[in-house]
Amino acid sequence: MKKVEFAISGNDRQLQAAASGLACETARIFYDARRYDAAQRAGSFALQLARRSDDVDGQASACSVLSRICIDRRHGDRGIMYARRGLALPELAPVQRAWLKLRLARSLALVSGQERTARDRLAELGDTEGFSPYEKADMTGNVGVALAGMRAYPHAHEAITEAVRLSERCSPLLLVAYQAWQVEVAMTAGEPLAAADHMTRLARIAPMVSSARVNSHVAGLLTQSARWKDVPEMREAREHLTSVQPD
């Protein structure tokens, strides 16, 4: 990052746009490592560079990643701010617009009293025709997570199950991440037997990926599921998942 800081004060727009893309990717890496402060700084730097270069796509990407960081930190108001800032940009690509609308919906779902508005934003997403398989899987899963946050558990389960199906074809990381969300949604809905079934499946695939964010989520599932440790199916599932957790 320090090697490209000089770009922000220069006049080379191509260099600034390239540096913005690098900073945005750095923000995503820090985000996955749960280094949120560093991710926020990198994302803000990416946004500054994209503005200097008049790069609309770069600005949209930076706003999207900054909103995503805020969502993970449960800073709904700031997530809304970044998503709306991105949506105000002209001539957005359909994929960028869809992601920003989704970020807005997930951010709204974190704010008390905004559930109906969040649902309205989800309804605006439309289909994912023309999106890559990875984008389809991730977007579908994000919709499910947003619905879970609004306690719409049957619809959340349906969306996340579809995300798991789509992820099997394109991304081990998404597959593990959304299989973990299947466990969480089942537990939050008070369905320990369904959660145990999903947890057993998760234990089979969790070693496929290395992600601090996913590992933290899985560790949280073990903590959350402790209240059902005397249920035989859950006890066995917890043992399986514990055995594959990284040291």
Side-chain angles (χ1 to χ4, degrees):
M1 288 290 293
K2 289 182 178 180
K3 292 182 179 180
V4 298
E5 284 179 353
F6 70 91
I8 201 166
S9 59
N11 296 312
D12 188 333
R13 290 191 173 186
Q14 282 190 322
L15 177 61
Q16 288 167 340
S20 174
L22 176 61
C24 206
E25 187 58 34
T26 301
R28 293 187 185 98
I29 292 169
F30 281 137
Y31 163 82
D32 193 60
R34 293 177 58 83
R35 296 178 59 186
Y36 293 128
D37 288 340
Q40 183 82 30
R41 288 193 296 272
S44 297
F45 185 50
L47 183 56
Q48 284 181 280
L49 285 163
R51 283 175 173 164
R52 289 278 296 177
S53 63
D54 288 329
D55 179 4
V56 170
D57 185 65
Q59 290 178 63
S61 294
C63 286
S64 184
V65 77
L66 285 165
S67 183
R68 184 183 189 187
I69 293 162
C70 293
I71 290 165
D72 252 41
R73 303 182 92 170
R74 303 193 67 77
H75 296 169
D77 288 339
R78 290 187 64 79
I80 291 168
M81 177 191 73
Y82 284 120
R84 284 180 171 159
R85 189 176 294 177
L87 286 167
L89 293 165
E91 300 179 4
L92 286 173
V95 172
Q96 287 281 28
R97 185 172 296 280
W99 273 116
L100 286 163
K101 284 184 177 180
L102 185 49
R103 304 287 187 225
L104 179 57
R106 286 202 58 187
S107 298
L108 285 164
L110 295 173
V111 179
S112 178
Q114 293 294 324
E115 289 87 355
R116 169 168 258 175
T117 307
R119 283 176 179 267
D120 290 343
R121 298 294 81 78
L122 287 178
E124 293 173 359
L125 288 176
D127 61 42
T128 54
E129 186 68 32
F131 294 5
S132 72
Y134 184 97
E135 287 165 337
K136 287 182 181 180
D138 200 13
M139 191 166 287
T140 302
N142 267 271
V143 168
V145 173
L147 289 167
M150 291 180 270
R151 297 179 293 281
Y153 299 123
H155 294 300
H157 175 72
E158 182 180 340
I160 293 171
T161 298
E162 176 64 5
V164 168
R165 186 187 70 81
L166 293 170
S167 299
E168 289 175 345
R169 306 175 185 178
C170 65
S171 171
L173 176 60
L174 289 184
L175 177 60
V176 173
Y178 288 120
Q179 186 76 65
W181 273 109
Q182 278 191 312
V183 178
E184 178 158 339
V185 169
M187 288 195 295
T188 309
E191 300 177 3
L193 295 182
D197 182 51
H198 292 312
M199 188 178 286
T200 299
R201 297 180 190 178
L202 175 61
R204 296 191 191 112
I205 61 175
M208 294 168 58
V209 304
S210 176
S211 164
R213 185 166 53 88
V214 172
N215 289 344
S216 177
H217 191 184
V218 170
L221 296 177
L222 289 169
T223 300
Q224 190 177 348
S225 63
R227 58 178 164 155
W228 290 299
K229 62 183 179 181
D230 293 328
V231 176
E233 293 86 349
M234 180 61 81
R235 182 171 60 249
E236 184 176 350
R238 281 168 49 81
E239 289 173 356
H240 287 168
L241 190 57
T242 301
S243 71
V244 299
Q245 273 289 85
D247 296 331

